[in-house]
Amino acid sequence: MSVEKIHTLVVGAGQAGVAMSEHLSKNGMEHLVLERGRIAERWRSARWDSLVANGPAWHDRFPNMDFPGDPDAFVPKEQVADYFEAYAKQHDAPVRCGVDVTSVERLAGRPGFRVETSTGVIEALNVVAATGPFQKPSIPPLLPKHVGFNQIHSSDYRNPQKLPDGAVLVVGAGSSGVQIAEELMRAGRKVYLSVGPHDRPPRAYRGRDFVWWLGVLGKWDAQAQAAGTEHVTIAVSGACGGKTIDFRRLAAEGMVLAGMTGAYKDGKLSFHDDLVRNLDRGDQNYLSLLDEADAFVARNGLDLPEEPQARVLGPQVDCVTNPLRELDLAAAGVTTVIWATGFSLDYSWLKVNAFDEVGRPKHQRGVSPEKGIYFLGLPWLSGRGSSFIWGVWHDAKHVADHILIQDNYLAYARQG
């Protein structure tokens, strides 16, 4: 069987892979993008039906193409996927869909890698792992599978009608968990929400979206997470036109809040005594951003309307003042548990020396210590913006430029 040869192979045709292809093309590099499904497949098939982008269309985009329609809108997931498909077409991205990469190993005695795929073998001088952070749903082993409840990860949730009748426990109150929990409550379900540590920015303040405030306040420039915040989620939503998430308001409307989920025994699930502390932390994060925004307005003499009501926090409710410490799931009528507990990485196919002792990629801004191996699409790859569409585009440019620089060094060596 003949072996296909390529300069740079990109694995994954989501936002990271599409951006990488653009920059490789601009640098004049022969490359190929392999995708096991369709372009931006995870936006289409691994998200719930009502999902929208968490940032407005004017911000969450690549620099060379606008979303059609209202720039302040929060774009539905199917339109986001269509956007990346159109962007790939606009830049003639060499994407090959329906191909699964099963193994990448370094070639012996010469540069490059042997890449085994579902359609054959490819040899590539460079490999860019652009599979993103949403690879393997992470479900804590707290509830045995035989307990009789419907247990799904948030990536498998689609809409309230697809769940069996009954109450729902949502574990995890980041963007996904809180949006799913609120949708279920609006659909008439009794909802319990397990809330862990979180940041809670305002959706908008004084007429500007929070992504604008992060920009002018320099917060997008952060190069690394603050110590101790690695597992702190962000509670923000573009659903229903975008609004600030307020856990106390949701509780006042009927949602039952609890602290982080603990142990399960004899049909009962315990919760940690940290609900108030977690909510207070979120409130402090929220109010501190308002303080910084007000100071910025005053310092720069901006004509932005004051918004004193933004500092009025939600009402005190019983489930917060008397936190739930234990829940008998059957007695509460809970038939479904949704684990909005994030994802773990799966690079089992990448058999190279580019990982630490627990399997996390080792890299500097996407450049791994294994020459020719690159990572793209990971949170905090270069900074806070790496989790956003526009941030991925800039990360891809850095990686593509690094590959070009290495090519130039090799070309000089050959001339010598």
Side-chain angles (χ1 to χ4, degrees), residues 110-145:
R110 55 194 175 99
F113 302 88
R114 174 185 171 88
V115 182
E116 295 186 5
T117 80
S118 57
T119 59
V121 176
I122 298 173
E123 289 185 0
L125 186 62
N126 305 289
V127 175
V128 181
T131 49
F134 306 119
Q135 296 174 18
K136 188 176 180 180
S138 179
I139 298 180
L142 296 178
L143 282 180
K145 292 183 178 180

PDB file of all heavy atoms in Angstrom, residues 110-145:
ATOM      1  N   ARG A 110      14.844   9.273  10.666  1.00  0.00           N
ATOM      2  CA  ARG A 110      14.588  10.408   9.771  1.00  0.00           C
ATOM      3  C   ARG A 110      13.483  11.270  10.358  1.00  0.00           C
ATOM      4  O   ARG A 110      12.713  10.819  11.214  1.00  0.00           O
ATOM      5  CB  ARG A 110      14.214   9.925   8.371  1.00  0.00           C
ATOM      6  CG  ARG A 110      13.041   8.948   8.311  1.00  0.00           C
ATOM      7  CD  ARG A 110      12.979   8.280   6.944  1.00  0.00           C
ATOM      8  NE  ARG A 110      11.960   7.252   6.885  1.00  0.00           N
ATOM      9  CZ  ARG A 110      10.747   7.437   6.360  1.00  0.00           C
ATOM     10  NH1 ARG A 110      10.402   8.634   5.879  1.00  0.00           N
ATOM     11  NH2 ARG A 110       9.879   6.435   6.314  1.00  0.00           N
ATOM     12  N   PRO A 111      13.394  12.527   9.917  1.00  0.00           N
ATOM     13  CA  PRO A 111      12.405  13.429  10.506  1.00  0.00           C
ATOM     14  C   PRO A 111      10.975  12.994  10.167  1.00  0.00           C
ATOM     15  O   PRO A 111      10.718  12.352   9.150  1.00  0.00           O
ATOM     16  CB  PRO A 111      12.732  14.783   9.844  1.00  0.00           C
ATOM     17  CG  PRO A 111      14.091  14.622   9.257  1.00  0.00           C
ATOM     18  CD  PRO A 111      14.234  13.191   8.915  1.00  0.00           C
ATOM     19  N   GLY A 112      10.072  13.384  11.049  1.00  0.00           N
ATOM     20  CA  GLY A 112       8.666  13.200  10.765  1.00  0.00           C
ATOM     21  C   GLY A 112       8.007  12.059  11.527  1.00  0.00           C
ATOM     22  O   GLY A 112       8.611  11.427  12.404  1.00  0.00           O
ATOM     23  N   PHE A 113       6.758  11.797  11.144  1.00  0.00           N
ATOM     24  CA  PHE A 113       5.917  10.877  11.899  1.00  0.00           C
ATOM     25  C   PHE A 113       5.132   9.960  10.965  1.00  0.00           C
ATOM     26  O   PHE A 113       4.727  10.368   9.865  1.00  0.00           O
ATOM     27  CB  PHE A 113       4.946  11.662  12.782  1.00  0.00           C
ATOM     28  CG  PHE A 113       5.642  12.587  13.731  1.00  0.00           C
ATOM     29  CD1 PHE A 113       5.966  13.886  13.346  1.00  0.00           C
ATOM     30  CD2 PHE A 113       6.013  12.159  14.996  1.00  0.00           C
ATOM     31  CE1 PHE A 113       6.633  14.748  14.210  1.00  0.00           C
ATOM     32  CE2 PHE A 113       6.681  13.007  15.861  1.00  0.00           C
ATOM     33  CZ  PHE A 113       6.996  14.297  15.473  1.00  0.00           C
ATOM     34  N   ARG A 114       4.908   8.756  11.417  1.00  0.00           N
ATOM     35  CA  ARG A 114       4.023   7.824  10.731  1.00  0.00           C
ATOM     36  C   ARG A 114       2.647   7.964  11.356  1.00  0.00           C
ATOM     37  O   ARG A 114       2.477   7.772  12.566  1.00  0.00           O
ATOM     38  CB  ARG A 114       4.533   6.390  10.881  1.00  0.00           C
ATOM     39  CG  ARG A 114       3.578   5.330  10.302  1.00  0.00           C
ATOM     40  CD  ARG A 114       4.084   3.919  10.602  1.00  0.00           C
ATOM     41  NE  ARG A 114       3.097   2.907  10.238  1.00  0.00           N
ATOM     42  CZ  ARG A 114       2.985   2.355   9.046  1.00  0.00           C
ATOM     43  NH1 ARG A 114       3.809   2.729   8.074  1.00  0.00           N
ATOM     44  NH2 ARG A 114       2.063   1.425   8.808  1.00  0.00           N
ATOM     45  N   VAL A 115       1.672   8.268  10.530  1.00  0.00           N
ATOM     46  CA  VAL A 115       0.303   8.505  10.990  1.00  0.00           C
ATOM     47  C   VAL A 115      -0.606   7.428  10.407  1.00  0.00           C
ATOM     48  O   VAL A 115      -0.768   7.337   9.179  1.00  0.00           O
ATOM     49  CB  VAL A 115      -0.196   9.902  10.574  1.00  0.00           C
ATOM     50  CG1 VAL A 115      -1.608  10.141  11.113  1.00  0.00           C
ATOM     51  CG2 VAL A 115       0.766  10.980  11.061  1.00  0.00           C
ATOM     52  N   GLU A 116      -1.174   6.626  11.268  1.00  0.00           N
ATOM     53  CA  GLU A 116      -2.118   5.604  10.819  1.00  0.00           C
ATOM     54  C   GLU A 116      -3.531   6.151  10.930  1.00  0.00           C
ATOM     55  O   GLU A 116      -3.917   6.712  11.964  1.00  0.00           O
ATOM     56  CB  GLU A 116      -1.957   4.336  11.657  1.00  0.00           C
ATOM     57  CG  GLU A 116      -0.608   3.667  11.489  1.00  0.00           C
ATOM     58  CD  GLU A 116      -0.521   2.333  12.204  1.00  0.00           C
ATOM     59  OE1 GLU A 116      -1.560   1.883  12.749  1.00  0.00           O
ATOM     60  OE2 GLU A 116       0.576   1.748  12.218  1.00  0.00           O
ATOM     61  N   THR A 117      -4.283   6.005   9.877  1.00  0.00           N
ATOM     62  CA  THR A 117      -5.653   6.504   9.837  1.00  0.00           C
ATOM     63  C   THR A 117      -6.594   5.393   9.384  1.00  0.00           C
ATOM     64  O   THR A 117      -6.152   4.318   8.948  1.00  0.00           O
ATOM     65  CB  THR A 117      -5.792   7.711   8.886  1.00  0.00           C
ATOM     66  OG1 THR A 117      -5.869   7.237   7.527  1.00  0.00           O
ATOM     67  CG2 THR A 117      -4.610   8.667   9.025  1.00  0.00           C
ATOM     68  N   SER A 118      -7.870   5.673   9.444  1.00  0.00           N
ATOM     69  CA  SER A 118      -8.869   4.686   9.022  1.00  0.00           C
ATOM     70  C   SER A 118      -8.867   4.473   7.515  1.00  0.00           C
ATOM     71  O   SER A 118      -9.489   3.527   7.027  1.00  0.00           O
ATOM     72  CB  SER A 118     -10.255   5.137   9.478  1.00  0.00           C
ATOM     73  OG  SER A 118     -10.556   6.432   8.961  1.00  0.00           O
ATOM     74  N   THR A 119      -8.147   5.327   6.762  1.00  0.00           N
ATOM     75  CA  THR A 119      -8.111   5.183   5.299  1.00  0.00           C
ATOM     76  C   THR A 119      -6.705   4.921   4.765  1.00  0.00           C
ATOM     77  O   THR A 119      -6.514   4.896   3.551  1.00  0.00           O
ATOM     78  CB  THR A 119      -8.696   6.438   4.619  1.00  0.00           C
ATOM     79  OG1 THR A 119      -7.926   7.588   5.015  1.00  0.00           O
ATOM     80  CG2 THR A 119     -10.147   6.629   4.994  1.00  0.00           C
ATOM     81  N   GLY A 120      -5.721   4.748   5.645  1.00  0.00           N
ATOM     82  CA  GLY A 120      -4.375   4.478   5.171  1.00  0.00           C
ATOM     83  C   GLY A 120      -3.313   5.154   6.010  1.00  0.00           C
ATOM     84  O   GLY A 120      -3.602   5.764   7.043  1.00  0.00           O
ATOM     85  N   VAL A 121      -2.071   5.065   5.546  1.00  0.00           N
ATOM     86  CA  VAL A 121      -0.924   5.597   6.274  1.00  0.00           C
ATOM     87  C   VAL A 121      -0.448   6.888   5.628  1.00  0.00           C
ATOM     88  O   VAL A 121      -0.383   7.003   4.396  1.00  0.00           O
ATOM     89  CB  VAL A 121       0.227   4.570   6.309  1.00  0.00           C
ATOM     90  CG1 VAL A 121       1.462   5.161   6.979  1.00  0.00           C
ATOM     91  CG2 VAL A 121      -0.214   3.305   7.035  1.00  0.00           C
ATOM     92  N   ILE A 122      -0.121   7.863   6.474  1.00  0.00           N
ATOM     93  CA  ILE A 122       0.410   9.151   6.023  1.00  0.00           C
ATOM     94  C   ILE A 122       1.710   9.402   6.771  1.00  0.00           C
ATOM     95  O   ILE A 122       1.817   9.107   7.959  1.00  0.00           O
ATOM     96  CB  ILE A 122      -0.590  10.298   6.312  1.00  0.00           C
ATOM     97  CG1 ILE A 122      -1.902  10.074   5.553  1.00  0.00           C
ATOM     98  CG2 ILE A 122       0.015  11.649   5.948  1.00  0.00           C
ATOM     99  CD1 ILE A 122      -2.992  11.077   5.916  1.00  0.00           C
ATOM    100  N   GLU A 123       2.699   9.944   6.075  1.00  0.00           N
ATOM    101  CA  GLU A 123       3.906  10.416   6.732  1.00  0.00           C
ATOM    102  C   GLU A 123       3.911  11.942   6.697  1.00  0.00           C
ATOM    103  O   GLU A 123       3.694  12.540   5.641  1.00  0.00           O
ATOM    104  CB  GLU A 123       5.157   9.865   6.045  1.00  0.00           C
ATOM    105  CG  GLU A 123       5.348   8.375   6.287  1.00  0.00           C
ATOM    106  CD  GLU A 123       6.657   7.857   5.713  1.00  0.00           C
ATOM    107  OE1 GLU A 123       7.424   8.660   5.131  1.00  0.00           O
ATOM    108  OE2 GLU A 123       6.923   6.649   5.851  1.00  0.00           O
ATOM    109  N   ALA A 124       4.142  12.543   7.862  1.00  0.00           N
ATOM    110  CA  ALA A 124       4.101  13.999   7.972  1.00  0.00           C
ATOM    111  C   ALA A 124       5.315  14.507   8.733  1.00  0.00           C
ATOM    112  O   ALA A 124       5.728  13.895   9.728  1.00  0.00           O
ATOM    113  CB  ALA A 124       2.822  14.447   8.690  1.00  0.00           C
ATOM    114  N   LEU A 125       5.874  15.623   8.261  1.00  0.00           N
ATOM    115  CA  LEU A 125       7.003  16.226   8.956  1.00  0.00           C
ATOM    116  C   LEU A 125       6.550  16.830  10.281  1.00  0.00           C
ATOM    117  O   LEU A 125       7.274  16.786  11.280  1.00  0.00           O
ATOM    118  CB  LEU A 125       7.639  17.299   8.083  1.00  0.00           C
ATOM    119  CG  LEU A 125       8.932  17.927   8.601  1.00  0.00           C
ATOM    120  CD1 LEU A 125      10.028  16.879   8.736  1.00  0.00           C
ATOM    121  CD2 LEU A 125       9.375  19.063   7.680  1.00  0.00           C
ATOM    122  N   ASN A 126       5.338  17.392  10.301  1.00  0.00           N
ATOM    123  CA  ASN A 126       4.768  18.001  11.503  1.00  0.00           C
ATOM    124  C   ASN A 126       3.345  17.494  11.699  1.00  0.00           C
ATOM    125  O   ASN A 126       2.629  17.242  10.725  1.00  0.00           O
ATOM    126  CB  ASN A 126       4.717  19.528  11.379  1.00  0.00           C
ATOM    127  CG  ASN A 126       6.063  20.129  11.060  1.00  0.00           C
ATOM    128  OD1 ASN A 126       6.963  20.158  11.893  1.00  0.00           O
ATOM    129  ND2 ASN A 126       6.228  20.610   9.823  1.00  0.00           N
ATOM    130  N   VAL A 127       2.936  17.393  12.960  1.00  0.00           N
ATOM    131  CA  VAL A 127       1.562  17.021  13.290  1.00  0.00           C
ATOM    132  C   VAL A 127       1.026  18.028  14.309  1.00  0.00           C
ATOM    133  O   VAL A 127       1.654  18.257  15.348  1.00  0.00           O
ATOM    134  CB  VAL A 127       1.469  15.602  13.873  1.00  0.00           C
ATOM    135  CG1 VAL A 127       0.032  15.294  14.321  1.00  0.00           C
ATOM    136  CG2 VAL A 127       1.932  14.572  12.859  1.00  0.00           C
ATOM    137  N   VAL A 128      -0.129  18.609  13.994  1.00  0.00           N
ATOM    138  CA  VAL A 128      -0.787  19.545  14.896  1.00  0.00           C
ATOM    139  C   VAL A 128      -2.033  18.877  15.460  1.00  0.00           C
ATOM    140  O   VAL A 128      -2.959  18.539  14.709  1.00  0.00           O
ATOM    141  CB  VAL A 128      -1.184  20.851  14.172  1.00  0.00           C
ATOM    142  CG1 VAL A 128      -1.846  21.820  15.158  1.00  0.00           C
ATOM    143  CG2 VAL A 128       0.032  21.498  13.525  1.00  0.00           C
ATOM    144  N   ALA A 129      -2.056  18.662  16.758  1.00  0.00           N
ATOM    145  CA  ALA A 129      -3.223  18.078  17.421  1.00  0.00           C
ATOM    146  C   ALA A 129      -4.204  19.201  17.727  1.00  0.00           C
ATOM    147  O   ALA A 129      -4.038  19.954  18.684  1.00  0.00           O
ATOM    148  CB  ALA A 129      -2.813  17.362  18.691  1.00  0.00           C
ATOM    149  N   ALA A 130      -5.221  19.329  16.886  1.00  0.00           N
ATOM    150  CA  ALA A 130      -6.206  20.402  17.011  1.00  0.00           C
ATOM    151  C   ALA A 130      -7.559  19.835  17.402  1.00  0.00           C
ATOM    152  O   ALA A 130      -8.602  20.287  16.920  1.00  0.00           O
ATOM    153  CB  ALA A 130      -6.300  21.186  15.695  1.00  0.00           C
ATOM    154  N   THR A 131      -7.553  18.846  18.281  1.00  0.00           N
ATOM    155  CA  THR A 131      -8.786  18.156  18.667  1.00  0.00           C
ATOM    156  C   THR A 131      -9.524  18.848  19.803  1.00  0.00           C
ATOM    157  O   THR A 131     -10.608  18.417  20.183  1.00  0.00           O
ATOM    158  CB  THR A 131      -8.475  16.704  19.069  1.00  0.00           C
ATOM    159  OG1 THR A 131      -7.388  16.697  19.999  1.00  0.00           O
ATOM    160  CG2 THR A 131      -8.065  15.888  17.852  1.00  0.00           C
ATOM    161  N   GLY A 132      -8.934  19.905  20.366  1.00  0.00           N
ATOM    162  CA  GLY A 132      -9.644  20.700  21.360  1.00  0.00           C
ATOM    163  C   GLY A 132      -9.730  20.044  22.725  1.00  0.00           C
ATOM    164  O   GLY A 132      -9.246  18.935  22.944  1.00  0.00           O
ATOM    165  N   PRO A 133     -10.391  20.739  23.676  1.00  0.00           N
ATOM    166  CA  PRO A 133     -10.438  20.241  25.054  1.00  0.00           C
ATOM    167  C   PRO A 133     -11.611  19.312  25.359  1.00  0.00           C
ATOM    168  O   PRO A 133     -11.647  18.685  26.406  1.00  0.00           O
ATOM    169  CB  PRO A 133     -10.570  21.533  25.862  1.00  0.00           C
ATOM    170  CG  PRO A 133     -11.368  22.427  24.968  1.00  0.00           C
ATOM    171  CD  PRO A 133     -10.946  22.089  23.556  1.00  0.00           C
ATOM    172  N   PHE A 134     -12.602  19.235  24.450  1.00  0.00           N
ATOM    173  CA  PHE A 134     -13.824  18.485  24.750  1.00  0.00           C
ATOM    174  C   PHE A 134     -13.732  17.078  24.161  1.00  0.00           C
ATOM    175  O   PHE A 134     -14.457  16.720  23.244  1.00  0.00           O
ATOM    176  CB  PHE A 134     -15.041  19.222  24.210  1.00  0.00           C
ATOM    177  CG  PHE A 134     -15.133  20.647  24.685  1.00  0.00           C
ATOM    178  CD1 PHE A 134     -15.099  21.686  23.779  1.00  0.00           C
ATOM    179  CD2 PHE A 134     -15.233  20.930  26.029  1.00  0.00           C
ATOM    180  CE1 PHE A 134     -15.177  23.004  24.216  1.00  0.00           C
ATOM    181  CE2 PHE A 134     -15.308  22.245  26.484  1.00  0.00           C
ATOM    182  CZ  PHE A 134     -15.275  23.279  25.569  1.00  0.00           C
ATOM    183  N   GLN A 135     -12.825  16.283  24.706  1.00  0.00           N
ATOM    184  CA  GLN A 135     -12.512  15.006  24.090  1.00  0.00           C
ATOM    185  C   GLN A 135     -13.213  13.827  24.759  1.00  0.00           C
ATOM    186  O   GLN A 135     -13.821  12.999  24.085  1.00  0.00           O
ATOM    187  CB  GLN A 135     -10.995  14.793  24.109  1.00  0.00           C
ATOM    188  CG  GLN A 135     -10.243  15.821  23.269  1.00  0.00           C
ATOM    189  CD  GLN A 135      -8.745  15.683  23.403  1.00  0.00           C
ATOM    190  OE1 GLN A 135      -8.227  14.663  23.845  1.00  0.00           O
ATOM    191  NE2 GLN A 135      -8.018  16.718  23.026  1.00  0.00           N
ATOM    192  N   LYS A 136     -13.123  13.748  26.069  1.00  0.00           N
ATOM    193  CA  LYS A 136     -13.668  12.586  26.780  1.00  0.00           C
ATOM    194  C   LYS A 136     -14.520  13.063  27.946  1.00  0.00           C
ATOM    195  O   LYS A 136     -14.003  13.647  28.893  1.00  0.00           O
ATOM    196  CB  LYS A 136     -12.514  11.715  27.285  1.00  0.00           C
ATOM    197  CG  LYS A 136     -12.935  10.392  27.877  1.00  0.00           C
ATOM    198  CD  LYS A 136     -11.717   9.574  28.261  1.00  0.00           C
ATOM    199  CE  LYS A 136     -12.103   8.238  28.872  1.00  0.00           C
ATOM    200  NZ  LYS A 136     -10.915   7.441  29.260  1.00  0.00           N
ATOM    201  N   PRO A 137     -15.842  12.881  27.895  1.00  0.00           N
ATOM    202  CA  PRO A 137     -16.698  13.343  28.994  1.00  0.00           C
ATOM    203  C   PRO A 137     -16.229  12.807  30.340  1.00  0.00           C
ATOM    204  O   PRO A 137     -15.919  11.618  30.479  1.00  0.00           O
ATOM    205  CB  PRO A 137     -18.074  12.778  28.625  1.00  0.00           C
ATOM    206  CG  PRO A 137     -18.037  12.635  27.144  1.00  0.00           C
ATOM    207  CD  PRO A 137     -16.621  12.247  26.816  1.00  0.00           C
ATOM    208  N   SER A 138     -16.153  13.683  31.321  1.00  0.00           N
ATOM    209  CA  SER A 138     -15.671  13.308  32.645  1.00  0.00           C
ATOM    210  C   SER A 138     -16.853  13.187  33.606  1.00  0.00           C
ATOM    211  O   SER A 138     -17.557  14.167  33.857  1.00  0.00           O
ATOM    212  CB  SER A 138     -14.679  14.367  33.155  1.00  0.00           C
ATOM    213  OG  SER A 138     -14.220  14.051  34.443  1.00  0.00           O
ATOM    214  N   ILE A 139     -17.073  11.994  34.120  1.00  0.00           N
ATOM    215  CA  ILE A 139     -18.152  11.737  35.081  1.00  0.00           C
ATOM    216  C   ILE A 139     -17.547  11.155  36.349  1.00  0.00           C
ATOM    217  O   ILE A 139     -16.957  10.069  36.303  1.00  0.00           O
ATOM    218  CB  ILE A 139     -19.211  10.784  34.509  1.00  0.00           C
ATOM    219  CG1 ILE A 139     -19.877  11.404  33.273  1.00  0.00           C
ATOM    220  CG2 ILE A 139     -20.262  10.457  35.562  1.00  0.00           C
ATOM    221  CD1 ILE A 139     -20.934  10.513  32.639  1.00  0.00           C
ATOM    222  N   PRO A 140     -17.657  11.839  37.468  1.00  0.00           N
ATOM    223  CA  PRO A 140     -17.095  11.305  38.721  1.00  0.00           C
ATOM    224  C   PRO A 140     -17.774   9.979  39.091  1.00  0.00           C
ATOM    225  O   PRO A 140     -18.987   9.823  38.897  1.00  0.00           O
ATOM    226  CB  PRO A 140     -17.423  12.393  39.754  1.00  0.00           C
ATOM    227  CG  PRO A 140     -17.709  13.621  38.957  1.00  0.00           C
ATOM    228  CD  PRO A 140     -18.282  13.154  37.658  1.00  0.00           C
ATOM    229  N   PRO A 141     -17.036   9.038  39.630  1.00  0.00           N
ATOM    230  CA  PRO A 141     -17.606   7.725  39.977  1.00  0.00           C
ATOM    231  C   PRO A 141     -18.342   7.766  41.317  1.00  0.00           C
ATOM    232  O   PRO A 141     -17.991   7.052  42.257  1.00  0.00           O
ATOM    233  CB  PRO A 141     -16.363   6.832  40.041  1.00  0.00           C
ATOM    234  CG  PRO A 141     -15.274   7.757  40.496  1.00  0.00           C
ATOM    235  CD  PRO A 141     -15.566   9.093  39.868  1.00  0.00           C
ATOM    236  N   LEU A 142     -19.375   8.581  41.398  1.00  0.00           N
ATOM    237  CA  LEU A 142     -20.113   8.745  42.651  1.00  0.00           C
ATOM    238  C   LEU A 142     -21.382   7.897  42.688  1.00  0.00           C
ATOM    239  O   LEU A 142     -21.712   7.300  43.711  1.00  0.00           O
ATOM    240  CB  LEU A 142     -20.468  10.224  42.856  1.00  0.00           C
ATOM    241  CG  LEU A 142     -19.289  11.182  43.041  1.00  0.00           C
ATOM    242  CD1 LEU A 142     -19.776  12.611  43.180  1.00  0.00           C
ATOM    243  CD2 LEU A 142     -18.470  10.785  44.265  1.00  0.00           C
ATOM    244  N   LEU A 143     -22.091   7.865  41.582  1.00  0.00           N
ATOM    245  CA  LEU A 143     -23.333   7.087  41.522  1.00  0.00           C
ATOM    246  C   LEU A 143     -23.088   5.785  40.756  1.00  0.00           C
ATOM    247  O   LEU A 143     -22.708   5.830  39.583  1.00  0.00           O
ATOM    248  CB  LEU A 143     -24.430   7.882  40.813  1.00  0.00           C
ATOM    249  CG  LEU A 143     -25.144   8.981  41.594  1.00  0.00           C
ATOM    250  CD1 LEU A 143     -26.194   9.637  40.723  1.00  0.00           C
ATOM    251  CD2 LEU A 143     -25.791   8.429  42.846  1.00  0.00           C
ATOM    252  N   PRO A 144     -23.288   4.639  41.373  1.00  0.00           N
ATOM    253  CA  PRO A 144     -23.139   3.375  40.641  1.00  0.00           C
ATOM    254  C   PRO A 144     -24.100   3.319  39.459  1.00  0.00           C
ATOM    255  O   PRO A 144     -25.213   3.881  39.507  1.00  0.00           O
ATOM    256  CB  PRO A 144     -23.490   2.315  41.685  1.00  0.00           C
ATOM    257  CG  PRO A 144     -23.327   2.996  43.007  1.00  0.00           C
ATOM    258  CD  PRO A 144     -23.670   4.436  42.778  1.00  0.00           C
ATOM    259  N   LYS A 145     -23.685   2.663  38.399  1.00  0.00           N
ATOM    260  CA  LYS A 145     -24.526   2.599  37.201  1.00  0.00           C
ATOM    261  C   LYS A 145     -25.808   1.810  37.445  1.00  0.00           C
ATOM    262  O   LYS A 145     -26.808   2.009  36.747  1.00  0.00           O
ATOM    263  CB  LYS A 145     -23.739   1.971  36.049  1.00  0.00           C
ATOM    264  CG  LYS A 145     -22.593   2.845  35.567  1.00  0.00           C
ATOM    265  CD  LYS A 145     -21.886   2.216  34.375  1.00  0.00           C
ATOM    266  CE  LYS A 145     -20.771   3.118  33.873  1.00  0.00           C
ATOM    267  NZ  LYS A 145     -20.052   2.526  32.704  1.00  0.00           N
TER     268      LYS A 145
END
